Amino acid sequence: MMEKFVYLFHEGNGNMKETLGGKGANLAEMTRIGLPVPYGFTISTQACNAYYDAGKTIPSLVESQVLGALSTLEEKMGKKLGDAENPLLVSVRSGSVFSMPGMMDTVLNLGMNDETVVGMGRLTNNPRFAYDSYRRFIQMFSNVVLDINTFYFEQLLEETREQKGYSSDPEMTAEDWKEVIEGYKGIVKKHTRKEFPQDPKEQLFLAINAVFDSWNNQRAIVYRRLNKIPDHLGTAVNIQSMVFGNMGNDSGTGVAFTRNPSTGEHVLYGEYLINAQGEDVVAGIRTPQPIQTLKDEMPAVYKQFADTCKRLEQHYQEMQDIEFTVERGQLFILQTRHGKRTAQAAIRIAVEMVEEGIIDKKTALLRVDPDQLNQLLHRRIDDKYQRTLLAKGLPASPGAATGQVVFDADEAEELGNAGKKVILVRPETTPDDIHGIVAAQAIVTSRGGMTSHAAVVARGMGKACICGCDALKIDVKAKQFTVDEKVIKYGDVITIDGSTGEIMLGEIPMIEPQLSEEFQLLLAWADQERKIGVRANADNPEDAQKAFEFGAGGIGLCRTEHMFMDLKRIPIVQKMILAEQYKERMEALEELLPMQQGDFEGIFEAMQGFPVTIRLLDPPLHEFLPDKEELLVEVTKLQILDPASPELKKKELLLKKVRQLDEYNPMLGHRGCRLGMVYPEIYEMQAKAIFYAAATLADRGLEVQPEIMIPLVGHVNELKQMRQLVIDAAVKVQEETGKQFEYTIGTMIEIPRAALTADQIAEEADFFSFGTNDLTQTTFGYSRDDAEGKFLQNYIENKVLPENPFAVLDQDGVGRLVEMGVKLGRGAKPTLKTGICGEHGGEKSSIDFCYKTGLDYVSCSPYRVPLARLAAAQATIRHGLNKKEVYTTA
């Protein structure tokens, strides 16, 4: 049997990529399902290999099959290649199995020559178009096939325009183009010592040769080597009839989506131009008509187009973006692909396609990108409006906001309370600024990274925040900041986008978040599928309430230090830190206890019986004291100006204590359980506050599930001692109140040694929570703020690291420690509950990793809970281990 090298479009299908290349297989598939695709044929990848085997000549068998396919094409189109009256023009494109930039570019309008150009002018009633197409063809063919640099043609065209006093191509007439064509032919003759080929069949075979040759050009070889694409695959060649939308008022061209890509509404959406070529729609020279008006202009074509769209959607089971042309009342589909869409549209389309029976629920869940959900939960900037970019920082907390610039937390609070919208701009924020952060619409800092104070607090509140924007030179005293030469003063209006890190001048309209019914339904489906719990990180009753509304199955991290940062409490906290005697310290702690108890009651109540993991005090104590430099300045001033003042004594004492607590490396210093070991009374007060809260709620008939977490454990003995302290506190409260309550005690695994000795630590723990923010810092030996501010961006741009390891879990390094921790921990204690509470708990690829590693839950900021619910369902579906139970709790 004769080997087949050439396939007409109707002879192939979408599964024949190896033979027809990607593009050829797609064109064949559209033809196979009965779409009106401009007809053509594909020369196979095997023909390319035969060409090389025959010493870079087209074998006679391939040539005869090409000519056979060409005559079928001519018959089908009712046109002939090279016919002066009704010429067939074709496009020639390469098409390898894998998409490969660097391969041969397309040649359009092949078949044009001195005779067919006249016929085209007559047929289109537009000689100017015909001659313009001819000169484009000569230029393209000469560059791609004859290897003549485009520069020579562009130079001649520019000279001609200047001579005639024109500023752009549309001013050129048919006669002008004729002149250019003669000049172009001269360029070809000068470079090739031959006339430009006039025989269309010669043009065709020269173009086929050029495609095959391009398989082994330098760019293609390098690309294949880099992407590990085998050299023996070869490339296919697609030869397709050209169709023209500019042959009169019964012709046109356009682009349409099978559903509205902004809203997801099930209506045809798009636009078209009567009597135009495809590039006219894109170039925006003429204003297109909405697709609906095609119904009146060409009812039969519109009906055929609507039916085709429906068929395409049914076939690909996905919303399609379609390019089409109408030539003299006949519809042709040039291309179809999956359409890009907004988050809102993605959700509506996925849900409605399930309701229409096109896809099932699992497919619908996999269709929506979890990252897109951020758009829906926060205000976002309306893309329709112009923006003037001032600077760009780290996108620390998503959402958008507009407001007047203020430089001081007190001013932010004052103006915020007066109903003004403000944005707090500071070099960095401290716990002292919390009241200003609460009052502001958003926060911008010039220092600090994604876990700086501002970033963490803003994310918890769902406020937009940009950190580490070092392009801003902030002068707090002068109440202004400069970017390059631009000065932004107190009271000037800026807009920020926390999702991109962009700071813009002036006010830009916003789109308010809306959670549609489809959104809720999709998340309900996600909960039915997922086999891993989703909790939230929340430090106060408001955040806990928000987390509950977003569908969290508990609190995975409640950071008690944030409760100490309240303005009313800071003086008491400082009194506790500055206490020289145990008695003094206990007095301050007793004052703090009822306040902490109130916090815990509010959080337990908001979570309505779901588990709440409370981390005992973690940061070093100096974080609750004033800044050393600022304090030094104040002391020096008082020593000079008012040496006798009692204020000076107080400040000097404070400075002494700040210096005592000062550490070279606070990140690895006296913090976490090390504080509890040296000052057990602090942890005892916190444990009692938790248990008093549990007892009070139990009294009111409310169920609570406190989980007490000891931070920064590196050795089992630390946990052993702290566990006993918590148990003793529980016994005291139970005896005192007469109330019984359940509780568990666990630890945060955030130091490599804890993961390496997880079997020993598990003996003393009911649960492990992997604190991957700190575990990433301690594994890499990075200080996050320094790394993000100084070199991390450089590492990512230069591909030293694939991603920022603080945003996307480093599965090879940090991930391996997590796997080891789970394996060793569960080996020692099979009932050990495990979760993750770093920021990675809200990132889709990290959630996928957590599912595969066998964690019981992930925990993330309240506003990322919907994203995590969807990502958890996708991980469960992808890895196929699916239990049909609803996981609401962890």
Side-chain angles (χ1 to χ4, degrees):
M1 200 177 116
M2 185 175 68
E3 191 176 353
K4 190 169 175 61
F5 287 113
V6 178
Y7 294 79
L8 290 154
F9 284 173
H10 73 268
E11 295 176 319
N13 63 54
N15 300 321
M16 292 177 66
K17 266 189 168 177
E18 297 283 331
T19 299
L20 304 177
K23 192 177 281 291
N26 191 22
L27 289 165
E29 183 68 11
M30 288 199 287
T31 305
R32 188 181 72 79
I33 63 171
L35 297 185
V37 175
Y39 203 60
F41 56 90
T42 302
I43 305 169
S44 71
T45 55
Q46 287 82 357
C48 177
N49 289 326
Y51 169 81
Y52 280 104
D53 292 343
K56 290 175 76 169
T57 53
I58 293 178
S60 56
L61 185 57
V62 176
E63 189 174 337
S64 64
Q65 287 185 22
V66 168
L67 293 171
L70 178 63
S71 63
T72 308
L73 174 59
E74 289 176 330
E75 224 170 283
K76 203 158 172 96
M77 299 305 292
K79 304 173 179 180
K80 264 187 140 36
L81 198 68
D83 180 356
E85 296 308 311
N86 190 11
L88 171 71
L89 300 181
V90 295
S91 63
V92 179
R93 291 182 171 91
S94 60
S96 60
V97 181
F98 301 100
S99 169
M100 267 182 56
M103 290 286 298
M104 192 202 86
D105 303 313
T106 305
V107 174
L108 299 176
N109 296 338
L110 187 136
M112 286 204 102
N113 59 21
D114 295 349
E115 289 170 14
T116 54
V117 70
V118 181
M120 276 297 288
R122 235 190 346 267
L123 285 170
T124 56
N125 204 6
N126 187 345
R128 187 200 170 281
F129 159 74
Y131 285 102
D132 185 14
S133 300
Y134 187 20
R135 74 91 196 173
R136 283 173 199 258
F137 167 61
I138 295 175
Q139 187 169 338
M140 202 182 272
F141 188 91
S142 301
N143 175 245
V144 170
V145 179
L146 306 177
D147 205 22
I148 303 169
N149 196 317
T150 310
F151 163 77
Y152 300 109
F153 300 99
E154 291 292 346
Q155 190 183 35
L156 181 116
L157 178 54
E158 207 169 308
E159 284 168 9
T160 312
R161 272 204 313 255
E162 276 176 19
Q163 253 172 346
K164 298 182 181 290
Y166 301 153
S167 58
S168 65
D169 287 356
E171 296 171 72
M172 304 276 283
T173 64
E175 291 307 313
D176 295 333
W177 284 130
K178 281 184 192 174
E179 263 181 63
V180 170
I181 287 164
E182 288 313 309
Y184 277 11
K185 286 180 182 169
I187 293 172
V188 173
K189 188 158 186 188
K190 184 180 164 195
H191 282 84
T192 64
R193 301 211 165 83
K194 287 181 194 159
E195 299 293 341
F196 183 81
Q198 289 290 313
D199 175 2
K201 284 187 179 149
E202 185 192 346
Q203 294 173 357
L204 179 63
F205 282 104
L206 282 169
I208 293 167
N209 279 355
V211 174
F212 286 156
D213 287 343
S214 74
W215 175 251
N216 272 333
N217 71 28
Q218 203 46 43
R219 280 179 306 170
I221 291 170
V222 169
Y223 184 84
R224 285 202 294 278
R225 195 177 302 141
L226 284 175
N227 292 279
K228 301 188 172 46
I229 296 172
D231 285 332
H232 63 78
L233 291 177
T235 179
V237 186
N238 298 296
I239 289 149
Q240 189 177 18
S241 51
M242 295 281 301
V243 287
F244 296 94
N246 54 354
M247 286 196 165
N249 285 334
D250 58 355
S251 303
T253 187
V255 175
F257 292 84
T258 53
R259 302 184 187 226
N260 184 317
S262 294
T263 65
E265 191 187 350
H266 195 173
V267 291
L268 278 185
Y269 175 94
E271 47 194 28
Y272 74 103
L273 276 171
I274 291 272
N275 195 14
Q277 274 285 80
E279 52 261 35
D280 296 339
V281 180
V282 185
I285 299 161
R286 291 167 52 191
T287 307
Q289 301 290 311
I291 198 89
Q292 262 55 40
T293 59
L294 191 61
K295 211 184 268 183
D296 312 322
E297 304 262 4
M298 304 181 198
V301 170
Y302 180 81
K303 185 180 183 314
Q304 190 193 352
F305 183 65
D307 293 346
T308 301
C309 288
K310 192 171 179 183
R311 192 196 282 152
L312 270 172
E313 257 206 6
Q314 295 281 349
H315 181 73
Y316 287 105
Q317 301 185 328
E318 178 62 293
M319 184 260 266
Q320 296 296 296
D321 167 0
I322 301 165
E323 287 174 30
F324 68 95
T325 289
V326 180
E327 182 180 282
R328 294 177 158 167
Q330 197 182 344
L331 174 72
F332 292 97
I333 303 293
L334 306 181
Q335 176 162 319
T336 186
R337 56 184 163 211
H338 296 340
K340 293 204 184 319
R341 66 210 76 178
T342 62
Q344 184 185 353
I347 289 166
R348 181 168 172 182
I349 291 167
V351 169
E352 288 185 355
M353 279 189 167
V354 172
E355 288 164 353
E356 291 161 25
I358 296 174
I359 57 176
D360 61 14
K361 287 179 184 176
K362 287 184 183 178
T363 308
L365 287 165
L366 293 171
R367 282 280 162 87
V368 180
D369 180 355
D371 288 343
Q372 277 192 302
L373 299 189
N374 256 343
Q375 290 178 21
L376 300 179
L377 300 172
H378 298 277
R379 295 174 82 204
R380 60 186 197 278
I381 291 172
D382 193 333
D383 290 331
K384 292 201 289 283
Y385 294 89
Q386 195 64 39
R387 40 177 90 184
T388 310
L389 188 64
L390 273 176
K392 203 168 175 183
L394 297 169
S397 181
T402 292
Q404 294 177 292
V405 173
V406 296
F407 296 91
D408 172 89
D410 295 339
E411 278 170 353
E413 186 177 45
E414 197 181 311
L415 291 171
N417 291 345
K420 292 263 188 353
K421 289 187 176 351
V422 298
I423 291 180
L424 179 61
V425 178
R426 303 272 304 150
E428 62 198 341
T429 63
T430 68
D432 295 344
D433 296 320
I434 192 85
H435 57 297
I437 294 174
V438 170
Q441 301 295 308
I443 303 95
V444 175
T445 69
S446 59
R447 294 200 287 265
M450 306 278 273
T451 46
S452 60
H453 175 263
V456 171
V457 173
R459 274 197 295 273
M461 292 181 185
K463 279 183 196 278
C465 175
I466 295 172
C467 287
C469 185
D470 52 14
L472 304 189
K473 302 292 171 259
I474 301 173
D475 186 337
V476 178
K477 276 218 173 69
K479 294 192 180 181
Q480 63 180 43
F481 69 81
T482 50
V483 181
D484 298 329
E485 301 297 298
K486 213 176 219 64
V487 179
I488 308 298
K489 291 189 162 66
Y490 170 83
D492 288 351
V493 173
I494 60 169
T495 297
I496 79 149
D497 186 340
S499 311
T500 62
E502 292 175 317
I503 302 170
M504 290 143 288
L505 200 52
E507 184 169 353
I508 305 173
M510 307 279 177
I511 298 169
E512 292 299 326
Q514 290 162 325
L515 299 187
S516 61
E517 281 173 34
E518 289 94 351
F519 185 79
Q520 307 287 11
L521 183 58
L522 190 81
L523 287 177
W525 294 346
D527 292 340
Q528 287 165 15
E529 293 294 338
R530 66 185 166 88
K531 202 186 154 299
I532 180 170
V534 175
R535 298 190 185 185
N537 301 341
D539 308 326
N540 53 55
E542 297 74 43
D543 285 359
Q545 186 57 43
K546 182 56 80 182
F548 186 75
E549 285 164 18
F550 279 145
I555 301 288
L557 175 63
C558 171
R559 292 162 285 221
T560 51
E561 60 271 11
H562 287 184
M563 302 165 176
F564 283 10
M565 287 169 179
D566 183 275
L567 264 191
K568 294 188 191 71
R569 300 182 191 182
I570 277 277
I572 308 168
V573 174
Q574 290 181 349
K575 194 163 93 182
M576 181 263 292
I577 295 168
L578 297 171
E580 295 292 331
Q581 307 296 323
Y582 176 77
K583 186 168 164 290
E584 271 178 84
R585 188 173 305 115
M586 287 308 292
E587 280 168 14
L589 287 169
E590 269 159 33
E591 245 182 291
L592 284 171
L593 193 146
M595 296 175 179
Q596 283 255 278
Q597 182 182 334
D599 297 325
F600 297 137
E601 284 175 17
I603 290 170
F604 289 149
E605 214 166 327
M607 287 323 288
Q608 302 185 22
F610 283 125
V612 177
T613 305
I614 299 165
R615 179 178 76 185
L616 300 185
L617 194 65
D618 182 41
L621 294 178
H622 72 78
E623 280 199 15
F624 301 100
L625 297 177
D627 179 74
K628 186 170 74 174
E629 259 74 46
E630 285 175 19
L631 203 54
L632 193 56
V633 170
E634 287 169 24
V635 167
T636 311
K637 265 188 191 164
L638 285 170
Q639 283 170 341
I640 296 163
L641 301 173
D642 194 358
S645 77
E647 182 73 2
L648 176 60
K649 277 269 175 289
K650 219 160 87 184
K651 292 249 159 120
E652 281 176 334
L653 197 66
L654 192 55
L655 182 60
K656 185 181 163 198
K657 194 70 181 177
V658 167
R659 280 182 168 148
Q660 272 174 8
L661 292 172
D662 195 27
E663 295 179 291
Y664 290 112
N665 193 342
M667 162 69 210
L668 300 175
H670 194 189
R671 56 171 281 225
C673 66
R674 303 156 196 173
L675 273 176
M677 298 289 284
V678 176
Y679 302 115
E681 55 274 20
I682 298 177
Y683 274 18
E684 186 187 4
M685 177 278 288
Q686 290 194 295
K688 279 182 172 173
I690 293 166
F691 296 135
Y692 281 132
T696 305
L697 291 183
D699 217 14
R700 289 167 34 199
L702 293 174
E703 193 195 333
V704 291
Q705 282 192 58
E707 300 179 341
I708 290 144
M709 182 154 74
I710 312 297
L712 216 75
V713 164
H715 196 288
V716 64
N717 289 342
E718 291 171 318
L719 183 59
K720 201 175 198 170
Q721 217 168 306
M722 292 299 101
R723 181 184 180 90
Q724 196 53 53
L725 178 146
V726 173
I727 292 169
D728 292 347
V731 171
K732 275 182 198 164
V733 173
Q734 283 174 335
E735 283 172 356
E736 191 182 319
T737 60
K739 292 277 174 292
Q740 294 301 308
F741 38 78
E742 295 294 316
Y743 63 94
T744 53
I745 302 167
T747 183
M748 208 158 173
I749 305 283
E750 47 195 330
I751 287 177
R753 192 181 188 282
L756 297 169
T757 60
D759 48 348
Q760 297 168 26
I761 290 175
E763 301 288 351
E764 299 293 336
D766 303 317
F767 65 87
F768 282 172
S769 180
F770 290 88
T772 49
N773 295 350
D774 274 3
L775 190 57
T776 299
Q777 295 198 87
T778 52
T779 303
F780 272 97
Y782 290 167
S783 140
R784 178 168 183 175
D785 285 353
D786 291 326
E788 285 185 329
K790 306 268 193 322
F791 61 84
L792 210 46
Q793 204 42 48
N794 173 286
Y795 270 32
I796 295 159
E797 280 166 14
N798 293 316
K799 308 275 189 300
V800 176
L801 292 176
E803 304 270 5
N804 177 345
F806 295 106
V808 178
L809 187 72
D810 160 46
Q811 296 185 16
D812 296 341
V814 179
R816 200 163 290 181
L817 286 171
V818 174
E819 284 171 342
M820 190 184 290
V822 172
K823 197 173 166 191
L824 289 172
R826 290 227 177 107
K829 184 175 283 184
T831 57
L832 187 78
K833 191 190 282 189
T834 59
I836 181 176
C837 63
E839 257 168 272
H840 302 103
E843 194 278 319
K844 60 186 179 186
S845 68
S846 309
I847 292 170
D848 190 87
F849 169 82
C850 293
Y851 175 82
K852 286 188 300 191
T853 308
L855 296 185
D856 294 301
Y857 66 86
V858 297
S859 188
C860 55
S861 79
Y863 284 86
R864 290 186 87 80
V865 166
L867 177 163
R869 287 163 68 193
L870 177 60
Q874 291 181 348
T876 309
I877 294 164
R878 263 198 301 272
H879 302 295
L881 297 167
N882 200 352
K883 286 185 187 170
K884 282 285 172 208
E885 51 196 276
V886 180
Y887 272 79
T888 45
T889 65

